[in-house]
Amino acid sequence: MKIASREGGLEWLYLALPARHSWGHFRSSRYRHLQPQIEYTLYGAVAAAQAVLPAMRKAGTGVHAAHVAINIWIGDGGPPGFPTAIPEQIAPLYWDLHERNHRSEAVFNA
């Protein structure tokens, strides 16, 4: 909790775990192929939440969890014809979730 002590608290956590492994074709995938990606994304999120939740609860500001699905390529260098966006286009969606605390899921489409 070095960040929380340095910044005087922690209001929210943003967690973006990029794909480290290919999901492959679902019909031909086996458990052993999916396990590394599931462990990375699921356990990474659990570890991050466990690290910040105690301080958030102690602060007494409440905890709001939300999921944002981003269905585009962020930045340059995406596959030809694939929709793209820059972070400045996506940020207002996150800010809205933070400010209004009114929903637990949002989708950003191009």
Side-chain angles (χ1 to χ4, degrees):
M1 294 305 306
K2 292 178 184 178
I3 294 173
S5 61
R6 185 182 74 218
E7 299 297 325
L10 184 65
E11 290 185 35
W12 58 283
L13 166 70
Y14 169 75
L15 179 66
L17 298 170
R20 290 180 51 191
H21 306 279
S22 171
W23 287 98
H25 190 273
F26 187 75
R27 286 186 179 182
S28 63
S29 292
R30 298 292 180 255
Y31 175 79
R32 68 180 180 276
H33 299 125
L34 302 174
Q35 185 177 357
Q37 184 68 13
I38 291 170
E39 288 178 352
Y40 176 70
T41 55
L42 177 63
Y43 297 161
V46 169
Q50 288 176 335
V52 300
L53 278 176
M56 293 173 91
R57 286 187 179 136
K58 185 177 179 182
T61 58
V63 175
H64 174 237
H67 171 261
V68 177
I70 300 176
N71 296 324
I72 51 91
W73 187 275
I74 301 173
D76 297 325
F82 200 83
T84 64
I86 59 173
E88 291 83 358
Q89 292 171 300
I90 303 166
L93 178 62
Y94 283 93
W95 187 249
D96 179 64
L97 287 171
H98 171 69
E99 284 290 300
R100 294 178 47 202
N101 196 10
H102 64 298
R103 57 186 171 159
S104 60
E105 186 168 30
V107 178
F108 184 90
N109 291 307

